[in-house]
Every structure is written in structure tokens, then in C-alpha cells.
Amino acid sequence: MEKKVLMLDCTLRDGGYVNDWDFGHSTITGIYKRLEAAGADYIEVGFLDDRREFDINRSIMPSTEAINKIFGSVKKGKAIPVAMIDFGTCSLDSIGSCDSTFIDGIRVIFKKEKIDQALPFCKAIKEKGYKLFIQAISITAYSDIEMLEYVNRINEIKPYAFSIVDTYGLLDNSSMARYFYLIDNNLDPSIKMGYHEHNNFQLGFSNTIKFLEKSTKRTLVADSTVYGMGKSAGNCASELLAMHLNEYYGGHYDLNQLLEIVDTDLMPIYQKHYWGYKYDFYIASMQRCHPSYVQYLLKKSTLSVSSINEILSSIPEEIKLLYNKQWIEQAYLDYQNRAKDDTEALQQLKVELEAASDKPVLIIGPGNTVKEQKKGVELFISGNDPVVFSVNFYTKLYSIDYTFISNAKRYAKFVDIQHGDSIGSKLILTSNVTACDYMPDYVLNYESLLNKESENPDNALVLLLKALIRIGITEVYLAGFDGFTNTPNDYYDRDYELSSTKDESYNDLLSDDLSKINQSIRLHFITESLYDVR
């Protein structure tokens, strides 16, 4: 039997992760028709998921009957239309017999801990007349022995195809080859073998080429999406794969039809929702962990990349690919809490501030009002001669007595501004920040300052206010704490912007936190603010 290589396009399914499958009805059918005209061997029309309401504009559908409604005007050609089910999201009751629906095949995905429940479901799909594709997602989670046991069970069912799925883009050519030969040498020869990759390491196309080159007599099915549109870092691009198959495997795929899909249908989506190789997914693959761990830590906007990698390296093996929100939240706090006895530091600060007890305390933040309302701030300073703190930044707009930093990235910015020179301002670091150049005058215990009752326990202003409360300060004045509008105007200097996701909801949260703090230390805003402190 001569080896055959075939292309399965899953743009309408995997690509749907980018835009919540909301392509629009005419675009869904238009993409299908162009894929058919391009000569795709298989076309995945989307997900079957009966938790979702029917929407003719989305390629995620509650039943096979819904598929018929969406594709009712589409004539079948040579391509084999298939759909995918993530086991547990669509019951057998939502799946009619194959002869009653537009699709000819169903691909089923499930992780290894669900094998016992999923395989009988797969068998029932096959009994309904469908070409059954079983997808071994998170392939790297299987040991060699587990994979051999899995293949033996697959042979009992004899699906149409069995696929290697590199869910987190962890494979390179060598590791992909190991799984290939392990499966190929033990899988029933009548079963086609597929390969589905992600582009976290920019190896999607390269790995697919190597997959197709493997020595085997069985038919190989390579997954791809037009323009690489897909989950996480995207996929092997259909236009690249088709070009390769035309050149080396005697294919006759029409590249112009694929490029028409890119130009007409996908570019408007791409311009709104970027997909492809991404920094966060690269880190996740490098650490061989679930991307949500990386996204959680990056969203905190307080850690250096080396710190993020240190935390990710400590994830227990059994939960690396199974996101555990509680674990990463605690790991983040534990990492930030580098125990420090700050009794002496707080006492010294208390002595210094008591020596200036006739002066009020002014705390300056990096909001735009420190520049826009500079005259008012200068008037307050000239009339009151305050002790001035800056929070998580340093500015030469005003004379600063103390710079308080609780964020590793802001510390790096501070060091960059100073260039190692002495500036007169005393530096206060919290214990989660490791000094590397400009050494602090005081280090305060980060954990003891956390606002643990809040959804945002490590806001820098709140940390400083809690430190001031501990040394007996009962009243402060605030400038440059403007609140967030999620626009370029949130900071007087864009270099201080670490997150673009803070908005009115964050303002409400911090308003509540500051209102509670206000019971222990009176807060007076001398510049305009969106925070409502009661």
C-alpha cells in the first residue's frame, strides 16, 4: 500500500478560538466553499457543543441538526466535512446518524485522565456511521507505556484515524518522531495517522513537514489552518502546507483560493484579534506548562521574566499541564513574601518622620495630574514643606525624600533613571524586590503589608499606607493617584505603564480598599482622582 498524505483544514474550528467562532454565516460558508475549491481533503466545520445556543453566525453548534441549518446551501464536493467534539461538551442525543447530516466525520478530543469514559463515547460515534477520528491531545503527557496501552485500546475500536496532538506546542522534530514511530509500529495499519500542532516554538510547519516524511505505508493526515489562525500561538498554515504538498507530493491544491480566504475573510479578523507566535505562549512551552500560569503572572505586572521562570519551574509535575488557579495564586504570594525582619527599618523611619512631625506627609503617584496640575502641587509643597514620598516611580518634577518601590519592574526603571548616581531620595524596597544595583536604605517585609482581604492585595499605595500606619502616621496627602481610564492618559510618562487592562472596575476596587484604610489614616487628595474614598 503506497503512502498517501492528505490535508485537513480546521480554520473554522481551531481558528474560532480567536473570535469566539463568530465568523458570520456568509463567511463560514464562503470559507468552506473556497477550501473545497482549493482541494482540501478534509474540512472541519467547527465544534459540536450542546452547551451553546444555536447561532447561524458561529461555527460552534449545539447539534448536527444545527450544522445542517448552517451548511444547508452548501453542496458537498470531494472534501470530507468533519466536526469536533471535546468529550463531555456534547451528548450523543445531540448527534444524529451520519446519513442525516452534512458532516461525514467527527473528531473527538479528550485528555488521558478521561480515556475510560471517552472511548465508549467514541465507539458510539462510529456506530452512528461517522468516520471517527480520535485525537490524542496533550500528547506529551503520555509516557511510552501509557501510549502503548492507549494504542492497544484504539486498535480495538478501529477508528478512521488517530492523531498526535501537540496541544501546547512542545514537540520538536526529534520528540515528534519518537511519538510517531511508537504509534506507527503498534497502530493497526488500516488506521490513518494524523498530526495537529501549535506554533509556540515556531515549529508548526517544520514539524508537519517532518511528520509527512516519516517512513510508513499508512495514510497520513496533516492538520492546518489558513494563515495559521488558531488557539494560542496558531497552527501550521494551510497555504504553506498546500504549497509543500504540491511541490513534493504531487498535490494539486489551489493556492489562490487559500489566499483569497486570507485577504477577504481573515485579515479583518486578524487586524482586531492577533494570533501567531507570542511571548507568553513561548514561555509556557519553554517551561512545559499550561499557558494560563504564564498569563496569570504576566498580568500581575510586578515580576521580571527571570522571576516568572523561577515560579513556573516550581510547578509540580502533576499539575503543569492542568491549570490550577489556587496553586499559582499561592505560589505568587509565597514568592513575593521573602521574609524580612523589618522592625529596625520601621523604627528608623519612625524616628526620621517624628523628627519632622511638624510637616505633613505627601505621597506622589505617577498619574497624569502630577504634570497637568503641577502648579497646584507646587503650591501645596511651598505652603506646607511636606515630607514627600513617591510610589513605584521616581520623578524629577519634585524634590522627593523617599521613594517606595514594591515592584521589580519599577525598580529596574528606577535604577535606569539614576544610572547609579546618588539622588538624595532614600529608597524603600519591599522584600519581594531583589536589589541588584542601587541599594535600598530600608527593606520592609512584603507579606506583612499585603492587604489580604482585597482582590488586589499588593497595590503599592496601600502597601505604603499600611507601613505608615505601623509607624504612627495618621494623615497623608495624595497627588497623582488619578484612577484608570485604560487610555494613554493614565500615566504622565508612558514608560510607567505596566498594564493596559485596568479600568473603571479597578477604580471601584481600589476605592473600597482606600475607604477602609481611611479609617486608620486620613487621606486627602490634592489632585483630581477617580477614586471615591469615603
Side-chain angles (χ1 to χ4, degrees), residues 452-473:
K452 296 179 181 178
E453 296 178 356
S454 172
E455 295 178 30
N456 183 43
D458 54 357
N459 175 268
L461 173 59
V462 173
L463 297 182
L464 175 56
L465 291 172
K466 291 187 71 174
L468 294 177
I469 291 170
R470 288 175 62 184
I471 60 178
I473 303 300

Side-chain angles (χ1 to χ4, degrees), residues 73-86:
S73 63
V74 177
K75 292 182 179 179
K76 283 188 182 181
K78 293 182 179 180
I80 296 174
V82 301
M84 177 172 280
I85 296 174
D86 185 349

Side-chain angles (χ1 to χ4, degrees), residues 326-354:
Q326 291 72 31
W327 186 93
I328 195 63
E329 288 174 344
Q330 188 59 50
Y332 170 74
L333 293 176
D334 289 345
Y335 186 85
Q336 296 285 60
N337 177 26
R338 295 180 175 177
K340 171 73 179 177
D341 183 356
D342 58 6
T343 305
E344 184 177 341
L346 287 170
Q347 181 59 34
Q348 182 59 35
L349 269 176
K350 182 176 182 179
V351 169
E352 291 179 9
L353 293 178
E354 284 179 345

Side-chain angles (χ1 to χ4, degrees), residues 299-302 392 407 410 456 458-460 483-487 490-491 496-507 510 531:
K299 189 176 180 181
K300 302 301 285 186
S301 298
T302 60
N392 264 355
N407 180 308
R410 291 284 176 84
N456 183 43
D458 54 357
N459 175 268
F484 292 90
T485 61
N486 199 14
T487 70
D490 282 345
Y491 296 88
Y496 289 107
E497 185 171 5
L498 298 178
S499 172
S500 60
T501 59
K502 292 179 179 177
D503 54 19
E504 289 81 0
S505 62
Y506 184 88
N507 296 338
L510 194 55
Y531 299 130

Side-chain angles (χ1 to χ4, degrees), residues 392-393 403-407 410-411 414 427-430 433:
N392 264 355
F393 85 116
T403 298
F404 176 86
I405 296 179
S406 63
N407 180 308
R410 291 284 176 84
Y411 170 74
F414 172 85
L427 177 60
I428 305 170
L429 292 184
T430 48
V433 180

Side-chain angles (χ1 to χ4, degrees), residues 322-439:
L322 297 171
Y323 181 58
N324 187 312
K325 187 172 185 289
Q326 291 72 31
W327 186 93
I328 195 63
E329 288 174 344
Q330 188 59 50
Y332 170 74
L333 293 176
D334 289 345
Y335 186 85
Q336 296 285 60
N337 177 26
R338 295 180 175 177
K340 171 73 179 177
D341 183 356
D342 58 6
T343 305
E344 184 177 341
L346 287 170
Q347 181 59 34
Q348 182 59 35
L349 269 176
K350 182 176 182 179
V351 169
E352 291 179 9
L353 293 178
E354 284 179 345
S357 60
D358 58 327
K359 299 181 178 183
V361 172
L362 172 63
I363 305 176
I364 297 179
N368 208 31
T369 56
V370 296
K371 194 171 184 178
E372 287 185 344
Q373 300 176 28
K374 188 170 184 286
K375 288 184 179 180
V377 179
E378 288 177 333
L379 184 63
F380 177 87
I381 291 174
S382 63
N384 295 278
D385 189 26
V387 176
V388 182
F389 288 78
S390 64
V391 173
N392 264 355
F393 85 116
Y394 177 80
T395 178
K396 294 181 180 180
L397 292 173
Y398 307 99
S399 177
I400 306 296
D401 298 299
Y402 299 92
T403 298
F404 176 86
I405 296 179
S406 63
N407 180 308
K409 291 188 176 181
R410 291 284 176 84
Y411 170 74
K413 176 67 177 174
F414 172 85
V415 171
D416 182 59
I417 291 174
Q418 308 321 320
H419 300 293
D421 298 331
S422 177
I423 58 170
S425 171
K426 291 187 175 181
L427 177 60
I428 305 170
L429 292 184
T430 48
S431 57
N432 58 306
V433 180
T434 302
C436 62
D437 190 356
Y438 197 100
M439 302 309 293

